[in-house]
């Protein structure tokens, strides 16, 4: 029962203890009844009720707390008994007689005590619904912004289409309309889905607000018994609202692009079909890359190429170019990097290898790394014919002297860090009894030029090879210590070791000989 000072004066509260229909003056908190003046005096004199707490009607009006003014709810089975207990086993309110007769072995407690925990449970569920409401409200705001962005994207795409087609002759006007209609169709289709999503979220919002309002009204106007009596229905409603999974992110993308295969001046009427409005944009995670060359290992000093193919998020290959492609090479230095946009969704990156080691290639597309485009390749170096003099054969693994005197060459790589090892086999194939001189070692990479024979910035070991003999030399380069260790295994001179020191920042292998009968073979 609600009791406030703004109730109409004509609606007075009558005594509930007698049939006099006199106005109530007090209320017994124990009995839960309003009493007239006569019944009040009787209540005070009767032995069983004289200790009950009486509160005046005016005092109740000045403090209209539902807990203070709520009527005592009596048991339906035991009419005179006030409900004071809650059976946890049966999940229902009971009186003391019910506890003794029908709920003797059940778990129960006083309404005031049980209501605290149960209301806490209800409040927890209510808080979750409020949180969901917040997410739904935020999603609605974001979707509306997204819809505006989607419309802006359509506007910019249509504008691009219009600017391009304005340069074409009247014969392409029909195609222009088709493009605009396609762009609008894509947008309308997506907006239709967004509108449907918004309608679902609006319904979800209304459901949340309804559940929240109903539960909060129960807390505000109901007492513990009433709340507990309705708890399973309230909780069932809240659980149903909680169980719904909201799709709070846009169900479509705003992506859209107008594909222009070439300039208007170059385009002919029969090729107009190549124009298309598409919502396919490059998805770096779907793009792929591969080496054009199929060798298991590459050779330093040669040029190679990589083909990059771009796809959208549905793995459809793009039919247009113009993307921002940024290749990256690590593990070694490369040179002569060239980039070609093939205008069909593919790109070619060509490059030259400067040294041996492990090459790693990575690329970003429109500023985003493309993980499936990472490539690695082992690179071996060979003797280069780019500088010096002498015949290079066997795929760059053999250098031969000639009859013109001093011949020299360098390895097709350079080293600026780490420890590196390579070996050569020296052979004298002539019939002269004279030995021939050979030089193996390193040269300052920054000093390599057309006349490397005259360079003084070399660190070499000079070795003589006798006719009919073959000697093996192993070289170990330590760039941190700036040392070159040379190990000689000679059929004629036996085994020996030499150590050399140098200061160059980066170096390349160096080879030289002065006889047409000598060959230097790179063996590892």
């Amino acid at each position: 029962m609600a009791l406030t000072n703004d109730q109409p004066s004509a609606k007075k509260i009558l005594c509930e203890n007698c049939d006099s229909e006199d106005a109530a003056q007090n209320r017994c908190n124990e009995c839960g009844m309003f009493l007239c003046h006569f019944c009040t005096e009787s209540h005070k004199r009767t032995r069983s009720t004289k200790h009950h707490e009486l509160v005046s009607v005016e005092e109740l009006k000045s403090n209209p707390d539902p807990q203070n003014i709520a009527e005592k709810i009596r048991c339906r089975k035991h009419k005179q008994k006030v409900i004071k207990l809650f059976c946890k086993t049966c999940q229902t309110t009971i009186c003391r007689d019910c506890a003794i007769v029908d709920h003797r072995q059940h778990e129960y407690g006083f309404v005031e005590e049980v209501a605290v925990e149960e209301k806490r449970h209800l409040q927890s569920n209510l808080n979750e619904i409020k949180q969901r409401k917040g997410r739904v409200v935020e999603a609605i705001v974001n979707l509306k912004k997204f819809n505006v962005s989607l419309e802006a994207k359509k506007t910019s795409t249509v504008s691009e289409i219009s600017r391009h087609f304005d340069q074409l002759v009247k014969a392409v006007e029909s195609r222009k309309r088709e493009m605009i209609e396609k762009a609008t169709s894509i947008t309308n289709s997506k907006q239709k889905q967004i509108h449907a999503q918004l309608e679902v979220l609006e319904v979800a919002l209304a459901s949340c607000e309804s559940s929240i309002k109903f539960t909060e009204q129960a807390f505000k106007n109901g007492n513990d018994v009433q709340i507990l009596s309705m708890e399973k229905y309230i909780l069932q409603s809240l659980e149903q609202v909680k169980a719904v999974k909201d799709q709070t992110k846009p169900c479509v993308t705003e992506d859209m692009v107008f594909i222009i295969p070439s300039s208007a001046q170059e385009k002919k009427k029969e090729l107009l079909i190549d124009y298309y409005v598409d919502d396919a944009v490059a998805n770096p995670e779907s793009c792929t890359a591969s080496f054009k060359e199929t060798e298991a290992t590459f050779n330093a000093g040669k040029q190679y190429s990589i083909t990059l193919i771009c796809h959208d998020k549905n793995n459809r290959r793009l039919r247009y170019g113009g993307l921002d492609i940024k290749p990256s090479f690590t593990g070694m230095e490369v040179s002569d990097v060239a980039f070609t946009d093939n205008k069909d969704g593919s790109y070619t990156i060509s490059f030259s290898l400067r040294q041996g080691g492990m090459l790693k290639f990575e690329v970003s597309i429109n500023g985003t790394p493309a993980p499936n485009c990472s490539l690695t390749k082992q690179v071996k170096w060979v003797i280069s014919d780019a500088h010096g003099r002498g015949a290079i054969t066997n795929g760059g693994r053999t250098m031969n002297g000639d009859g013109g005197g001093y011949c020299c060459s360098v390895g097709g790589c350079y080293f600026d860090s780490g420890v590196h090892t390579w070996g050569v086999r020296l052979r004298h194939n002539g019939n002269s009894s004279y030995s021939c001189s050979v030089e193996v070692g390193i040269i300052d990479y920054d000093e390599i030029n057309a006349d490397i024979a005259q360079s003084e910035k070399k660190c070499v070991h000079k070795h003589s090879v006798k006719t009919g003999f073959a000697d093996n030399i192993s070289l170990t380069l330590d760039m941190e210590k700036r040392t070159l260790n040379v190990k000689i295994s000679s059929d004629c001179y036996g085994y020996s070791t030499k150590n050399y020191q140098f200061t160059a920042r980066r170096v390349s292998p160096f080879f030289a000989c002065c006889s047409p009968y000598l060959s230097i073979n790179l063996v590892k």
Side-chain angles (χ1 to χ4, degrees):
M1 174 184 292
L3 184 64
T4 60
N5 287 321
D6 58 359
Q7 286 182 319
S9 59
K11 188 178 180 181
K12 63 181 180 178
I13 301 174
L14 304 179
C15 179
E16 297 175 327
N17 192 52
C18 67
D19 298 329
S20 66
E21 296 188 355
D22 291 340
Q25 293 187 354
N26 296 283
R27 182 179 187 273
C28 177
N29 284 341
E30 180 66 23
C31 300
M33 292 191 300
F34 286 94
L35 306 173
C36 63
H37 175 73
F38 179 80
C39 291
T40 299
E41 295 302 320
S42 175
H43 218 69
K44 291 178 179 179
R45 290 193 301 271
T46 303
R47 182 176 297 176
S48 61
T49 61
K50 65 180 181 179
H51 298 296
H52 289 187
E53 180 184 3
L54 299 177
V55 183
S56 69
V57 172
E58 294 302 322
E59 185 179 350
L60 289 174
K61 288 181 178 181
S62 65
N63 184 23
D65 187 344
Q67 295 292 342
N68 294 332
I69 65 177
E71 296 182 16
K72 297 293 185 180
I73 299 178
R74 300 184 183 277
C75 180
R76 292 183 178 181
K77 186 174 183 181
H78 308 96
K79 304 297 184 181
Q80 300 302 317
K81 298 297 181 180
V82 176
I83 291 179
K84 293 186 176 182
L85 302 173
F86 180 78
C87 179
K88 297 181 180 179
T89 304
C90 300
Q91 290 291 298
T92 186
T93 53
I94 59 176
C95 69
R96 292 183 182 272
D97 287 358
C98 290
I100 296 172
V101 178
D102 300 321
H103 302 267
R104 181 175 298 178
Q105 303 299 326
H106 294 182
E107 180 184 0
Y108 54 84
F110 287 104
V111 164
E112 293 81 1
E113 297 174 356
V114 176
V116 173
E117 180 61 32
E118 296 302 319
K119 286 195 289 186
R120 185 183 297 115
H121 185 210
L122 290 173
Q123 185 65 49
S124 175
N125 283 273
L126 180 61
N127 291 340
E128 291 186 31
I129 299 302
K130 287 182 177 180
Q131 292 176 2
R132 181 195 170 197
K133 175 187 174 183
R135 292 193 298 269
V136 171
V137 169
E138 182 181 1
I140 290 173
V141 172
N142 290 337
L143 279 175
K144 288 181 178 178
K145 290 181 179 178
F146 179 84
N147 198 39
V148 172
S149 178
L150 194 62
E151 184 66 27
K153 189 66 176 179
K154 184 204 77 171
T155 302
S156 64
T157 304
V158 171
S159 176
E160 183 182 3
I161 293 171
S162 298
R163 286 194 304 269
H164 183 77
F165 274 86
D166 285 345
Q167 301 174 37
L168 301 179
V169 295
K170 294 180 180 180
V172 302
E173 287 296 324
S174 61
R175 186 61 178 172
K176 172 184 175 181
R177 289 191 296 272
E178 290 177 14
M179 296 298 96
I180 295 176
E181 289 172 2
K182 179 62 178 178
T184 304
S185 173
I186 290 175
T187 303
N188 289 342
S189 176
K190 292 184 178 183
Q191 288 180 327
K192 183 177 180 180
Q193 297 176 63
I194 291 297
H195 290 156
Q197 187 178 359
L198 281 170
E199 289 179 359
V200 172
L201 290 176
E202 294 285 0
V203 172
L205 178 60
S207 176
C208 290
E209 291 177 338
S210 175
S211 297
I212 292 169
K213 182 178 180 181
F214 179 78
T215 306
E216 289 181 338
Q217 285 293 328
F219 282 152
K220 180 178 178 182
N221 298 323
N223 58 32
D224 292 342
V225 173
Q226 291 171 327
I227 292 175
L228 290 173
S229 298
M230 296 186 296
E231 179 195 8
K232 62 181 180 180
Y233 303 107
I234 297 175
L235 186 58
Q236 181 180 7
S237 175
L238 294 177
E239 291 290 352
Q240 288 176 350
V241 176
K242 282 170 50 183
V244 179
K245 302 298 181 182
D246 300 311
Q247 184 178 358
T248 57
K249 294 184 178 180
C251 59
V252 297
T253 68
E254 65 177 356
D255 298 332
M256 186 185 298
V257 64
F258 173 48
I259 302 153
I260 305 174
S262 64
S263 67
Q265 292 78 10
E266 298 172 341
K267 180 54 59 182
K268 294 183 179 180
K269 182 177 180 180
E270 62 271 16
L271 298 179
L272 291 179
I273 193 64
D274 290 339
Y275 286 95
Y276 198 69
V277 175
D278 203 348
D279 61 351
V281 297
N283 178 34
E285 293 186 0
S286 302
C287 300
T288 59
S290 61
F291 290 110
K292 182 178 180 180
E293 294 75 17
T294 59
E295 297 96 313
T297 58
F298 288 169
N299 291 331
K302 287 190 174 183
Q303 188 176 66
Y304 297 91
S305 62
I306 292 172
T307 300
L308 173 67
I309 300 178
C310 295
H311 300 81
D312 70 358
K313 61 183 63 179
N314 295 320
N315 208 32
R316 295 178 298 176
R317 176 169 170 170
L318 302 189
R319 302 193 305 162
Y320 58 91
L323 301 182
D324 181 17
I325 308 295
K326 286 186 168 49
S328 171
F329 294 92
T330 56
M332 64 184 64
E333 182 178 335
V334 298
S335 62
D336 304 325
V337 178
F339 174 79
T340 303
D341 183 348
N342 300 317
K343 305 295 184 182
D344 60 357
S346 69
Y347 302 83
T348 303
I349 302 104
S350 59
F351 56 94
S352 295
L353 297 169
R354 303 300 299 270
Q355 60 185 119
M358 183 62 72
L359 172 70
K360 184 175 182 180
F361 168 80
E362 295 176 308
V363 67
S364 67
I365 300 173
N366 290 340
T368 302
N372 294 323
C373 293
S374 297
L375 302 173
T376 58
K377 182 68 72 171
Q378 185 69 42
V379 180
K380 61 183 180 180
W381 60 268
V382 293
I383 303 173
S384 172
D385 58 0
H387 301 284
R389 176 176 155 225
I392 308 300
T393 60
N394 192 25
R397 305 190 67 82
T398 301
M399 172 184 171
N400 297 286
D402 59 29
Y406 188 80
C407 296
C408 61
S409 189
V410 297
C413 62
Y414 73 82
F415 306 114
D416 57 5
S417 63
V419 178
H420 308 272
T421 301
W422 65 96
V424 295
R425 184 172 180 82
L426 311 176
R427 180 176 294 278
H428 192 317
N429 299 312
N431 53 15
S432 170
S433 60
Y434 295 102
S435 61
C436 296
S437 177
V438 174
E439 294 179 2
V440 291
I442 56 175
I443 184 173
D444 189 331
Y445 177 79
D446 296 320
E447 293 295 317
I448 295 177
N449 51 46
D451 193 12
I452 59 174
Q454 303 300 319
S455 175
E456 297 181 356
K457 292 189 177 182
K458 298 193 294 281
C459 178
V460 298
H461 171 73
K462 296 182 179 180
H463 182 74
S464 295
V465 184
K466 289 191 174 182
T467 304
F469 287 92
D471 299 340
N472 295 306
I473 297 180
S474 176
L475 300 95
T476 300
L477 173 69
D478 190 328
M479 289 304 299
E480 277 65 40
K481 297 179 180 179
R482 295 294 192 272
T483 59
L484 178 67
N485 175 264
V486 182
K487 296 180 180 179
I488 305 100
S489 177
S490 173
D491 293 342
C492 182
Y493 304 111
Y495 180 83
S496 62
T497 300
K498 298 288 185 180
N499 289 295
Y500 300 91
Q501 200 79 31
F502 62 92
T503 59
R505 183 175 61 91
R506 51 183 180 174
V507 299
S508 289
F510 180 82
F511 311 90
C513 63
C514 58
S515 170
Y517 304 112
L518 268 175
S519 63
I520 302 175
N521 296 288
L522 190 62
V523 294
K524 67 175 181 177

